[in-house]
Amino acid sequence: MGKLFVFMGKSASGKDTLYRLVMEKYRNLHPVIPYTTRPIRAGETEGAEYHFVTEEEMQEMQRRNQIVECRCYQTVKGPWYYFTAEDGQIDFEKGDFALISTLEGYEQIRNFYGEERVVPLYIEVEDMLRIERSLAREKQQENPCVAEVCRRFLADEEDFSEENLQRLGITDRITNISLEQALNQISTYIG
């Protein structure tokens, strides 16, 4: 029976980069593409990082009971939804899967699929480096928004609090100072 590896961490912790490198290294891992209602960013491709949908499309999926977990962020540009859908991507008979989510998303996914099938991979980086990475990424956008970077940073402090991590039994951390070391740590979980 397959496993679902959930990559998570605060904004700009490097989870997207590590996820991409792991998916290249472990060809037997199947990617799970989440959904979002936020606008596509420069450099993103539909169906690669996310499925970009409208709120109406998301509501239709809710009516069909396809949403495994859903989070809403009140951004400076309005509400943005991120969610995982039961859309046929995950079939544990076909092997192992991986996706990127949040701590809240991980909890809902674990509750949906069962603790024995869902493996948390919590990525962490020192705060100063994270804020530098966030600002550098935001500068590349067509309309940079520093307020949104700050909002995400502060929200992460609350969302990924030690209390929340402990409540969900997440004690192992993958420290992303060196990509090579972080990949080695992840390899011990994926095997």
Side-chain angles (χ1 to χ4, degrees):
M1 195 55 78
K3 299 276 187 196
L4 175 57
F5 297 94
V6 180
F7 286 70
M8 64 189 131
K10 296 175 181 175
S11 182
S13 61
K15 59 191 172 292
D16 292 289
T17 300
L18 286 167
Y19 174 84
R20 181 180 46 77
L21 292 170
V22 165
M23 296 309 288
E24 289 171 6
K25 182 176 180 177
Y26 293 95
R27 297 289 183 181
N28 59 327
L29 270 181
H30 305 283
V32 178
I33 310 301
Y35 291 76
T36 185
T37 62
R38 79 155 164 76
I40 193 167
R41 290 180 184 152
E44 290 181 325
T45 305
E46 160 57 35
E49 298 83 7
Y50 292 98
H51 292 293
F52 296 92
V53 297
T54 64
E55 281 190 47
E56 293 75 23
E57 290 170 312
M58 181 192 76
Q59 289 166 357
E60 179 57 32
M61 293 176 84
Q62 282 177 319
R63 280 190 284 280
R64 293 191 310 251
N65 294 317
Q66 289 182 284
I67 296 186
V68 173
E69 60 85 23
C70 183
R71 294 153 277 125
C72 179
Y73 299 100
Q74 297 300 328
T75 75
V76 296
K77 297 182 179 184
W80 290 348
Y81 293 88
Y82 292 80
F83 61 98
T84 305
E86 181 64 21
D87 60 357
Q89 290 184 74
I90 299 172
D91 179 352
F92 291 111
E93 297 297 321
K94 293 182 179 176
D96 294 328
F97 296 82
L99 64 78
I100 300 170
S101 191
T102 64
L103 193 60
E104 178 186 358
Y106 161 74
E107 181 176 19
Q108 293 174 48
I109 290 165
R110 185 189 71 177
N111 291 344
F112 187 88
Y113 290 112
E115 193 170 344
E116 68 283 354
R117 286 193 175 144
V118 181
V119 180
L121 297 174
Y122 178 62
I123 316 296
E124 72 177 6
V125 170
E126 182 267 324
D127 284 346
M128 214 43 153
L129 182 53
R130 281 192 323 101
I131 199 76
E132 289 170 4
R133 288 177 178 177
S134 292
L135 290 169
R137 180 174 64 191
E138 195 64 25
K139 283 181 186 177
Q140 297 173 2
Q141 301 306 309
E142 189 174 315
N143 298 306
C145 184
V146 174
E148 180 57 23
V149 170
C150 294
R151 185 209 61 80
R152 282 195 311 261
F153 186 87
L154 294 173
D156 282 345
E157 291 303 302
E158 186 177 323
D159 295 344
F160 287 96
S161 69
E162 284 302 316
E163 180 180 288
N164 286 339
L165 290 167
Q166 288 177 8
R167 180 176 58 79
L168 292 173
I170 297 174
T171 55
D172 295 345
R173 286 61 188 326
I174 296 155
T175 304
N176 187 14
I177 304 278
S178 151
L179 279 177
E180 184 178 335
Q181 287 177 337
L183 283 170
N184 287 338
Q185 282 183 277
I186 291 169
S187 293
T188 63
Y189 292 96
I190 295 175

